Amino acid sequence: MKKINLKVNDIKVPIIIGREIFKTINIAEYVSKNDVVIVTNSTIAKLYLMQTRRLFREFNVSTLVLPDGEKHKNIQTIQKIYDFLIKSKLDRSVTIVALGGGVIGDMVAFAADTFMRGVDLIHIPTTLLAQVDSSIGGKCGINHPLGKNLIGSFKHPRAVIMDTAILQTLPKREFMAGMAEVIKYGLIKNKSFFNFIDKNYLKIIKQDYDSLIKTIFTCASIKSQVVQEDELEGGVRAILNFGHTFGHAIEASKNYKGILHGEAISIGMNIASAISADQGYLTHDEYCNIEDMLLNMSMPTMIPKKITVASIAKHLGHDKKKIAGKNRFILLDKIGSAFISDKLNNKYLKDISKNFIS
Ligand SMILES: NC(=O)c1ccc[n+]([C@@H]2O[C@H](COP(=O)([O-])OP(=O)(O)OC[C@H]3O[C@@H](n4cnc5c(N)ncnc54)[C@H](O)[C@@H]3O)[C@@H](O)[C@H]2O)c1
Ligand SMILES: [Zn+2]
């Protein structure tokens, strides 16, 4: 069992990583109240709700099962969570457990932050993406019909419990989407981790015990370190958005259908790496190394058919990360080191995207 202690302001968040840790962890260390509500979705409930209930057996446990899917990450589902909590006559002394991927994690954390002005939360992330990314750092929220993740807040949990055994049932495509974020951490912060992935990706994908634990621990450590330095994304936290400017534009161009977030990020990282080389930061060899790694892992590198440059350009213009009308684009100055540039205008980004249309 490995542990990371994330500290933000006065809040301490233990992140526990291990295999089959449900059997050994003393969950009472992280729950001070008697009432526990486990919130999950219908897919995960079939697989892991029983064992999660067992984990909390010494508490007064109730469960809420929501429909599965990003399309339910909205205010109506938040309303369902509030309805359940209020009808169950629960008050501030409840601990809410988010058992699921990023969709459940984001919604449940937002509900926990706002119900009775904030109640305790525990994350049990069940996707690779949620373990390496969304369960760490406090960002949470829901989509609005006019855009993704437009409503939200920051809510840190009492603990994050990551059990790698849970990933065995994750569909391969979802696992590979999480791998895009894994590669991102190597690219922006840790060259030797990038090299480790390059050498060991087959083992990681097969979920070899040591390789997977090392991968999740390294990613969670990097994310924790970046969040500790800049919780509210005033500065360095923005490097976590490497590959996301084009990634988000691709997702939006496809109306968030038929492409997973990690798949769009894989393409976005390829384009951002090419731009880093075009701007004279990355060497040609470094860029080829990155592209080869993505291709070897059968990750997408080109903008999908039917998406036009005009559509990409339109959505680049809507990027939420803009400050005072200027783009903040994340570049690599070498593998393992990223920085924020405000020098790239939309015309340049639009022109370069032409090279990546399938
Ligand atoms: N808060 C943050 O910092 C942050 C960061 C990145 C992404 N996100 C958000 O995360 C969401 C995406 O999360 P995701 O990729 O985890 O998707 P997801 O939560 O939709 O999960 C993907 C699919 O896998 C299923 N699933 C989950 N765990 C499983 C398991 N162990 N076995 C079998 N099936 C399982 C789910 O039911 C779902 O169908 C997006 O809404 C995104 O905005 C948030
Ligand atoms: Zn992402």
Side-chain angles (χ1 to χ4, degrees), residues 41-44 47-48 68-70 73 99-106 125-131 133-141 143 148-149 165-171 174 177-178 181 184 223 237 244 248 251 260-262:
N41 74 27
S42 47
T43 308
I44 300 154
L47 298 163
Y48 301 110
D68 187 2
E70 176 82 29
K73 187 177 157 181
L99 173 69
V103 169
I104 284 290
D106 277 12
T126 64
T127 62
L128 181 60
L129 181 134
Q131 295 195 346
D133 190 354
S134 62
S135 65
I136 305 167
K139 276 191 191 176
C140 61
N143 302 328
K148 212 171 126 66
N149 291 334
I166 275 185
L167 302 180
Q168 279 171 346
T169 51
L170 192 63
E174 294 288 350
E181 303 283 359
K184 179 189 80 180
K223 175 125 191 207
R237 187 166 176 170
H244 282 58
H248 286 155
E251 284 183 284
L260 297 178
H261 174 71

Side-chain angles (χ1 to χ4, degrees), residues 44-84:
I44 300 154
K46 283 186 209 113
L47 298 163
Y48 301 110
L49 187 53
M50 221 152 63
Q51 71 183 73
T52 310
R53 280 195 77 111
R54 220 175 295 133
L55 177 67
F56 289 92
R57 62 188 168 275
E58 59 197 271
F59 300 94
N60 177 26
V61 178
S62 47
T63 58
L64 173 62
V65 178
L66 300 170
D68 187 2
E70 176 82 29
K71 70 171 188 286
H72 299 289
K73 187 177 157 181
N74 56 28
I75 194 76
Q76 286 77 22
T77 309
I78 293 292
Q79 176 78 31
K80 278 188 193 165
I81 304 176
Y82 295 149
D83 288 351
F84 179 87

